[in-house]
């Protein structure tokens, strides 16, 4: 089965600082998804990456999928308290017709005002 | 267009009781997925359903757990004779027909937090 490892497990940053969260896969990624989860709420879709080298941005969040398609990074610029939450990467295993995701264990982000 | 709805949001059961979790997918979505998030663990896939069909239940415990997605009404995840280890957040997601080229954006509900006393 595909395994996704996220690092760091938790992160505490001062407001305004930049930060990066990594997601490493044991197998080639054919679709990598980033979600954000706030306590008591569901997952909010952030971005999806499919092509090696692809980079997408939404507001102050940028995600990249490396050329070899086994690692993705999520970068937040000038963090704000509203960025706090748990960030999860999810992937569809190769050969999978879309019936399930594998998720990383998550990175808990705290932003101190 | 309302998002994925789950109810109840919080459910408390005593050991041995039954828990029923409901999920209404987004309008136009015919595919439903259930995930479980145990304390201090990541989200784990449980089951994938289309209307009236279970497509993949490889992540579902073999006993006490069942799921359905009837022609009419919400999808139901049913846990019989609950035990303390069933305490977790249960998330439902829905999608339209998954793209055969792996694209599959799933929209998640807010989850049901089950506590077994």
């Amino acid at each position: 089965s595909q395994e996704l490892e996220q690092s760091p497990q938790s992160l505490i940053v001062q407001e305004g600082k930049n930060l990066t969260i990594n997601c490493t896969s044991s197998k080639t990624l054919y679709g990598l998804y980033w979600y954000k989860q706030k306590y008591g709420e569901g997952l909010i879709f952030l971005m999806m990456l499919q092509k090696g080298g692809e980079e997408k941005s939404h507001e102050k969040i940028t995600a990249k999928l490396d050329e070899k398609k086994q690692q993705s990074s999520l970068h937040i610029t000038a963090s704000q308290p509203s960025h706090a939450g748990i960030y999860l990467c999810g992937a569809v295993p190769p050969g999978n017709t879309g019936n399930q995701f594998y998720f990383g264990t998550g990175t808990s982000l705290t932003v101190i005002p | 267009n309302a998002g994925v709805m789950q109810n109840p949001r919080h459910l408390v059961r005593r050991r041995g009781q039954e828990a029923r979790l409901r999920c209404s997918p987004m309008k136009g979505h015919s595919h439903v997925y259930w995930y479980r998030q145990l304390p201090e663990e990541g989200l784990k896939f449980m089951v994938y359903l289309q209307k009236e069909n279970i497509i993949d239940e490889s992540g579902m415990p073999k006993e006490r757990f069942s799921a359905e997605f009837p022609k009419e009404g919400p999808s139901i995840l049913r846990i019989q004779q609950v035990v303390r280890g069933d305490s977790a957040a249960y998330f439902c997601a829905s999608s339209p027909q998954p793209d055969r080229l792996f694209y599959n954006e799933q929209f998640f509900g807010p989850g049901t937090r089950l506590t077994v006393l």
Side-chain angles (χ1 to χ4, degrees):
Chain A
S1 64
Q2 185 150 28
E3 291 186 1
L4 296 173
E5 194 167 318
Q6 285 186 240
S7 63
Q9 285 189 329
S10 65
L11 198 52
I12 302 173
V13 300
Q14 200 75 38
E15 183 177 358
K17 296 293 186 185
N18 303 335
L19 63 105
T20 300
I21 298 169
N22 293 303
C23 175
T24 303
S25 172
S26 58
K27 298 182 180 179
T28 299
L29 294 162
Y30 288 89
L32 190 285
Y33 299 73
W34 282 100
Y35 287 88
K36 178 185 173 185
Q37 182 184 21
K38 288 203 165 184
Y39 181 77
E41 298 179 20
L43 276 65
I44 301 167
F45 172 79
L46 295 175
M47 273 170 279
M48 186 201 75
L49 305 161
Q50 273 190 299
K51 300 175 184 175
E54 187 174 11
E55 179 176 320
K56 287 186 178 178
S57 292
H58 176 66
E59 296 180 345
K60 294 185 178 180
I61 301 176
T62 301
K64 300 179 186 179
L65 182 61
D66 76 356
E67 289 288 347
K68 293 182 181 177
K69 297 173 69 178
Q70 284 198 259
Q71 186 173 39
S72 178
S73 60
L74 186 84
H75 184 77
I76 299 177
T77 304
S79 58
Q80 300 170 354
S82 61
H83 288 128
I86 299 171
Y87 288 80
L88 291 161
C89 61
V92 177
N96 187 289
T97 55
N99 54 338
Q100 62 170 283
F101 277 168
Y102 288 96
F103 283 96
T105 48
T107 295
S108 174
L109 172 64
T110 302
V111 180
I112 301 172
Chain B
N1 187 10
V4 178
M5 298 173 67
Q6 289 187 249
N7 66 82
R9 294 290 303 275
H10 299 273
L11 182 61
V12 179
R13 286 285 178 267
R14 296 192 180 280
R15 281 180 296 170
Q17 291 184 318
E18 178 179 286
R20 279 183 177 241
L21 288 62
R22 294 174 186 78
C23 169
S24 296
M26 284 182 70
K27 188 177 180 181
H29 287 187
S30 57
H31 299 254
V32 165
Y33 313 77
W34 285 94
Y35 294 84
R36 178 166 66 173
Q37 188 175 39
L38 291 165
E40 307 304 322
E41 292 188 22
L43 274 166
K44 303 289 184 186
F45 167 81
M46 297 181 74
V47 63
Y48 163 43
L49 310 106
Q50 294 179 28
K51 286 281 187 182
E52 301 185 280
N53 284 308
I54 296 174
I55 307 302
D56 181 353
E57 57 182 347
S58 58
M60 193 92 103
K62 294 287 185 275
E63 297 177 350
R64 302 186 298 108
F65 284 73
S66 62
E68 61 177 10
F69 189 15
K71 189 176 181 181
E72 301 291 338
S75 175
I76 307 283
L77 179 68
R78 184 182 175 206
I79 312 172
Q80 294 178 292
Q81 299 176 322
V82 296
V83 301
R84 288 215 174 107
D86 297 332
S87 296
Y90 292 82
F91 289 94
C92 165
S94 74
S95 73
Q97 172 70 39
D99 189 293
R100 296 178 68 175
L101 297 178
F102 310 110
Y103 177 71
N104 178 14
E105 183 178 340
Q106 295 182 11
F107 296 82
F108 282 80
T112 294
R113 276 154 183 80
L114 172 66
T115 301
V116 179
L117 302 177

